[in-house]
Amino acid sequence: MYRGFMKHEQSDCHLESVQRLNLDKLNKDIGIVIKEQVSDLRGKTRSFLLTIISNLKFRGRQCLPLRGRADDSDSNVNQLNVMRCEDNPNFKEWLLRKSEKYTSPEIQNELLKIMSQILVGDETTDVSNREQLVACIRWIDEQLEVHEDFTGLYQIDDTCAKTISDSIQDTYDGASAMSGPKSGVQKRIKDEQPKALYNHCHGHRLNLACSDSIKRVKIMCDALDKTQEITKLVKKSLQRDTQLEKIRRAALLESEDDYMYAGIRVLCPTRWTVKADVMIAIINKYESLKKLWEWSLEKLKDTDMRARVRGVGAHMQRFDFFFGLSLGKCLLRNADNLNASLQTKDLSAAEGNVMALKTVKAISLMRTDETYRLFRQKVTNFAELKGVAEPCLHR
């Protein structure tokens, strides 16, 4: 029987049957094979297109020309594509194709036009305590002129991610409702439109950086808290605001300095990059404010309000408050200028980056022993002119 099996195993019919069985296992349905090939080709095409788009985006953000002055093969964008082949060898095969490789000037211009349109959205509370969604369209025309068109204010019931994402359908601020990676507005919109890119507002990021830095310095935190209290006492009372104006006009008759015209505004608790002007106004009106507190104590009868006025008056006599006020003015003035520049509608990303680096460099140059010595001496002399007490160590 064993010999019979061995003889059958070597027979032509058995060998042919085994060969057919193995071929059936290797072969796939023709529909499945075509589908896999198309899916693989689509994935590669998408990857190569994203590489080309990233090259265009880089040159567009840096305001660099695409074509250059040489022939098409030596143009800037084509040379950048060739350099990217070092990272992805398969990309070289794509560029060697004769057609349908998305590198023609017409397609590049179309891609740049698509990338030039941005939806800007943010939410805020109005004076009637209603949540309002602000929407703007930022776009670039054929002459590379930047336009920002306000589309409207839309009342929303709440500030949860679903409500906001239902109201707008790609610049958001960095709040968790906007930037949340799992259920934030940017995630919900990207689920519906994968091409929508999330970009955290640079002005808001600068504001957060100032906030985190200042909160670590106690003398500046205390100075800003009292600055906020001073602005409230002045601007929340018509009588005190009017009396300060009278004191200012009387002082103006004795001085011709233009800065005497600077006004005091209430500080926004969430905006850190707009506080330098208020701090400068308080320093310039130091004597006028102290006269205002004296006048207020004579007129006020409310115990709590008198205590608040006495509190700010006592703090304005202390050197540490005046020093924190002067330090905040010096630092936040640089941040204010950068914040205003970043909001310029025709500012390019490269120019914004240069301004940010210059601001960081300017502040870094202040961090030397000699600069601090000169700054402290200047503040001490100025405080003496303002009638502020001499610096002393705390117990």
Side-chain angles (χ1 to χ4, degrees), residues 146-184:
V146 181
H147 302 268
E148 287 186 355
D149 296 334
F150 172 73
T151 60
L153 288 168
Y154 307 96
Q155 182 173 330
I156 54 180
D157 297 332
D158 52 63
T159 58
C160 68
K162 186 178 185 305
T163 302
I164 299 176
S165 61
D166 289 342
S167 302
I168 58 176
Q169 290 287 304
D170 278 60
T171 299
Y172 322 101
D173 68 12
S176 58
M178 288 289 190
S179 61
K182 294 183 178 180
S183 59

Side-chain angles (χ1 to χ4, degrees), residues 11-47:
S11 63
D12 294 338
C13 63
H14 177 75
L15 295 176
E16 183 178 355
S17 299
V18 172
Q19 186 177 11
R20 287 184 177 181
L21 178 62
N22 292 333
L23 287 175
D24 291 339
K25 291 182 179 180
L26 294 175
N27 292 337
K28 296 182 179 180
D29 183 84
I30 185 64
I32 297 177
V33 173
I34 294 176
K35 184 178 180 180
E36 290 178 349
Q37 290 178 348
V38 172
S39 178
D40 181 63
L41 179 61
R42 184 183 294 116
K44 290 181 178 179
T45 303
R46 182 181 291 110
S47 174

Side-chain angles (χ1 to χ4, degrees), residues 5-200:
F5 277 117
M6 292 294 293
K7 184 177 180 181
H8 175 73
E9 187 178 11
Q10 302 297 326
S11 63
D12 294 338
C13 63
H14 177 75
L15 295 176
E16 183 178 355
S17 299
V18 172
Q19 186 177 11
R20 287 184 177 181
L21 178 62
N22 292 333
L23 287 175
D24 291 339
K25 291 182 179 180
L26 294 175
N27 292 337
K28 296 182 179 180
D29 183 84
I30 185 64
I32 297 177
V33 173
I34 294 176
K35 184 178 180 180
E36 290 178 349
Q37 290 178 348
V38 172
S39 178
D40 181 63
L41 179 61
R42 184 183 294 116
K44 290 181 178 179
T45 303
R46 182 181 291 110
S47 174
F48 298 145
L49 178 59
L50 289 175
T51 301
I52 294 173
I53 291 176
S54 67
N55 293 345
L56 291 174
K57 183 179 179 182
F58 167 76
R59 303 201 69 84
R61 287 176 67 93
Q62 300 304 115
C63 298
L64 300 175
L66 299 181
R67 313 313 304 176
R69 297 182 178 179
D71 56 27
D72 188 69
S73 61
D74 289 332
S75 65
N76 296 328
V77 67
N78 283 340
Q79 288 301 313
L80 182 57
N81 289 335
V82 172
M83 187 180 69
R84 294 293 296 274
C85 294
E86 299 177 2
D87 303 327
N88 186 1
N90 295 328
F91 187 46
K92 185 176 182 180
E93 298 179 4
W94 174 268
L95 295 177
L96 293 177
R97 297 175 58 172
K98 293 183 178 180
S99 61
E100 298 181 356
K101 51 185 179 180
Y102 308 120
T103 57
S104 66
E106 293 77 14
I107 293 181
Q108 290 176 1
N109 291 334
E110 184 178 354
L111 291 173
L112 287 172
K113 185 177 180 180
I114 294 174
M115 288 188 286
S116 68
Q117 299 175 353
I118 303 175
L119 172 65
V120 183
D122 197 5
E123 57 81 23
T124 186
T125 305
D126 61 13
V127 293
S128 61
N129 205 29
R130 303 293 183 184
E131 290 294 336
Q132 298 278 355
L133 179 67
V134 185
C136 300
I137 300 293
R138 178 184 171 94
W139 56 282
I140 303 174
D141 60 22
E142 295 180 355
Q143 285 72 40
L144 300 181
E145 294 291 335
V146 181
H147 302 268
E148 287 186 355
D149 296 334
F150 172 73
T151 60
L153 288 168
Y154 307 96
Q155 182 173 330
I156 54 180
D157 297 332
D158 52 63
T159 58
C160 68
K162 186 178 185 305
T163 302
I164 299 176
S165 61
D166 289 342
S167 302
I168 58 176
Q169 290 287 304
D170 278 60
T171 299
Y172 322 101
D173 68 12
S176 58
M178 288 289 190
S179 61
K182 294 183 178 180
S183 59
V185 175
Q186 63 98 2
K187 179 64 170 59
R188 292 174 180 269
I189 293 181
K190 200 164 187 176
D191 289 341
E192 297 187 16
Q193 177 50 263
K195 296 180 181 179
L197 301 178
Y198 167 64
N199 180 35
H200 187 174

